[in-house]
Amino acid sequence: MEVKELKCTNGLLKVYEDKVVISRKTAMAFVSQGLKGDKTFFYSDLSSVEYKKPSLVANGYIKFITAGTRETKQNIGILGTTTKKALEDDNTLILRAFNKEVPKKSEELYEYILSRMSELKNKTVITSNISKAEEIMKFKELLDQGIITQEEFEKKKQDLLN
């Protein structure tokens, strides 16, 4: 299910519940990127998101960073100028200045993306706590069966909880 969409200078940002997609199916995207397919980033694969909010006189950008992402200088200038390298970066979308709606929409999408990334990271922590509890239960069974001593059980339990 698609959540929101934002037209950017060099493409289209589509934000879903589980992923973001950079689509290059716009005229300026074709000029800056050529014939490229959509690029999908699942929130669980993102290391971080770099964001500069656009203003009425200066472009901004949103860049999706994963393991192995090449660093490029964004150099977003005043009066809507953008360097060629920033336009060509596969993981970056330029947020257009001179548009009253783009700063608000881009900020909302950025906050949503961060919240989804955070939820997934917290879910991972909870999952690992459950597996620790299951391991303790297994050691408790071994204790009840007389296979390990109370001392061994307490030591394993402390190791798992620390």
Side-chain angles (χ1 to χ4, degrees), residues 24-144:
R24 302 298 181 178
K25 295 175 184 161
T26 63
M28 187 59 185
F30 174 73
V31 171
S32 63
Q33 295 282 323
L35 291 171
K36 289 188 178 177
D38 292 353
K39 191 163 190 177
T40 302
F41 298 94
F42 288 93
Y43 296 121
S44 57
D45 296 332
L46 290 173
S47 302
S48 66
V49 179
E50 198 174 304
Y51 174 73
K52 180 182 182 296
K53 187 176 181 177
S55 68
L56 288 177
V57 295
N59 284 345
Y61 65 90
I62 188 162
K63 179 176 183 172
F64 299 99
I65 300 170
T66 60
T69 299
R70 287 179 300 135
E71 185 58 37
T72 58
K73 297 273 186 202
Q74 298 312 320
N75 294 337
I76 307 298
I78 59 171
L79 301 177
T81 60
T82 305
T83 63
K84 188 173 191 247
K85 281 188 179 183
L87 279 171
E88 292 174 348
D89 186 337
D90 286 348
N91 295 358
T92 302
L93 287 165
I94 306 303
L95 306 170
R96 189 76 177 127
F98 311 119
N99 184 324
K100 292 179 184 176
E101 293 179 22
V102 171
K104 183 180 177 196
K105 281 185 178 179
S106 64
E107 184 84 23
E108 287 173 6
L109 289 177
Y110 172 66
E111 293 298 329
Y112 179 80
I113 291 165
L114 289 182
S115 72
R116 294 298 296 145
M117 289 172 63
S118 178
E119 285 173 27
L120 284 171
K121 290 187 189 307
N122 289 337
K123 195 181 231 182
T124 303
V125 171
I126 291 167
T127 302
S128 66
N129 286 341
I130 292 170
S131 65
K132 287 181 184 181
E134 288 173 349
E135 274 196 68
I136 291 171
M137 288 173 58
K138 287 178 186 176
F139 282 112
K140 175 69 170 126
E141 285 178 23
L142 292 174
L143 172 66
D144 292 344

